[in-house]
Amino acid sequence: MRCLGGVPYCSLVATLLCFSGIALFCGCGHQALTETERLIETYFARNLQDYITLAYIIQYFQYVIYGLASFFFLYCIALLAEGFYTTSAAKQTFGEFRSTMCGRCLSSSFIVMTYLLAVLWLLVFAFSALPVYFFYNMDATCSTIDVLTETPASINQLCVDARQYGLLPWNAVPGKACGMTLSNICKTREYQMTYNLYVAAFAGAGITLLALLTYTVSSTYNFAVLRYLGRKGIGPRC
């Protein structure tokens, strides 16, 4: 029981959330980008030059995902270790424990870094909603086409133009899919998997943002108690 009392539960929960969120975001996001390139190549562009820029951008983002996975793995471990350091139960478990100026400076640095990282990740979270929005609109258009299958003249006017979303240049051919062609695309396994992968990546970004906010709150609380109440024997519990 004494050892369990030294566990920073808030930081531990945040670490688990961060690992699971990053795993979802990086794993699903990487595969979703690969499937997106395959969809664009198969259904929206006939010439390699039309989507070569998109292919380079996708490759660049995949390299960024590799870096994010490595960074967050190390950073979350560092935050968890900092949570153990700032837990008052550590002095009960490991003997006399006193905070130092260096320790308080380290804790405040983690607070600032985690806060800035949470703000930046909020932008990533918003950016990860864009492909979900694109596939949601595409799915809604396909649903409308399925309802209006008895009037082919009307459904041929329902299209999804990848050029309008900046995925392809305006001179790309065909650049868009309409009518039953679009409906058939929505029924393919590649489309369904890509859509689900983007939704999972978006959820992973949200979980990671929640983890960073949890880290920020718990670290701020720990630092405040360590700074003002540590000398009185009252220690942080997160």
Side-chain angles (χ1 to χ4, degrees):
M1 294 300 295
R2 189 177 182 184
C3 292
L4 290 177
V7 177
Y9 291 104
C10 293
S11 297
L12 182 60
V13 170
T15 301
L16 295 177
L17 286 174
C18 188
F19 282 162
S20 59
I22 284 296
L24 268 178
F25 178 78
C26 293
C28 295
H30 182 279
Q31 186 61 31
L33 289 173
T34 302
E35 295 297 329
T36 299
E37 182 180 359
R38 186 175 294 116
L39 282 174
I40 294 295
E41 177 185 0
T42 304
Y43 300 107
F44 292 93
R46 297 172 183 168
N47 191 350
L48 175 63
Q49 297 301 321
D50 291 339
Y51 65 90
I52 189 65
T53 302
L54 177 65
Y56 283 130
I57 293 175
I58 287 176
Q59 187 178 25
Y60 170 77
F61 275 116
Q62 287 177 333
Y63 284 129
V64 171
I65 285 175
Y66 297 146
L68 283 175
S70 303
F71 170 77
F72 272 96
F73 177 76
L74 297 176
Y75 190 71
C76 289
I77 291 178
L79 286 177
L80 182 61
E82 194 269 343
F84 273 102
Y85 168 76
T86 55
T87 299
S88 64
K91 69 177 181 179
Q92 301 173 5
T93 305
F94 303 107
E96 187 66 20
F97 178 81
R98 296 180 182 276
S99 62
T100 62
M101 182 63 69
C102 180
R104 291 194 294 269
C105 181
L106 183 64
S107 297
S108 61
S109 298
F110 271 117
I111 293 173
V112 174
M113 289 176 60
T114 307
Y115 176 79
L116 294 177
L117 192 59
V119 173
L120 291 176
W121 195 257
L122 183 61
L123 299 178
V124 175
F125 177 65
F127 179 77
S128 64
L130 295 179
V132 177
Y133 174 74
F134 170 76
F135 277 91
Y136 173 80
N137 284 342
M138 189 171 176
D139 190 66
T141 305
C142 290
S143 299
T144 304
I145 292 174
D146 292 337
V147 173
L148 300 176
T149 51
E150 296 181 357
T151 55
S154 300
I155 64 176
N156 288 331
Q157 299 176 2
L158 297 175
C159 304
V160 169
D161 195 336
R163 297 168 297 186
Q164 291 182 340
Y165 295 90
L167 299 177
L168 294 172
W170 282 105
N171 59 351
V173 178
K176 63 180 180 178
C178 303
M180 293 306 299
T181 301
L182 178 61
S183 179
N184 292 332
I185 294 174
C186 292
K187 295 175 182 178
T188 61
R189 184 190 63 85
E190 293 84 359
Y191 170 82
Q192 295 295 332
M193 183 173 64
T194 306
Y195 190 8
N196 293 331
L197 285 171
Y198 274 123
V199 172
F202 177 69
I207 293 173
T208 305
L209 179 61
L210 177 62
L212 291 174
L213 294 177
T214 304
Y215 272 131
T216 303
V217 173
S218 63
S219 298
T220 304
Y221 170 78
N222 286 348
F223 176 77
V225 176
L226 189 67
R227 177 67 178 83
Y228 297 107
L229 304 177
R231 295 183 182 275
K232 297 181 181 180
I234 305 176
R237 293 291 176 182
C238 287

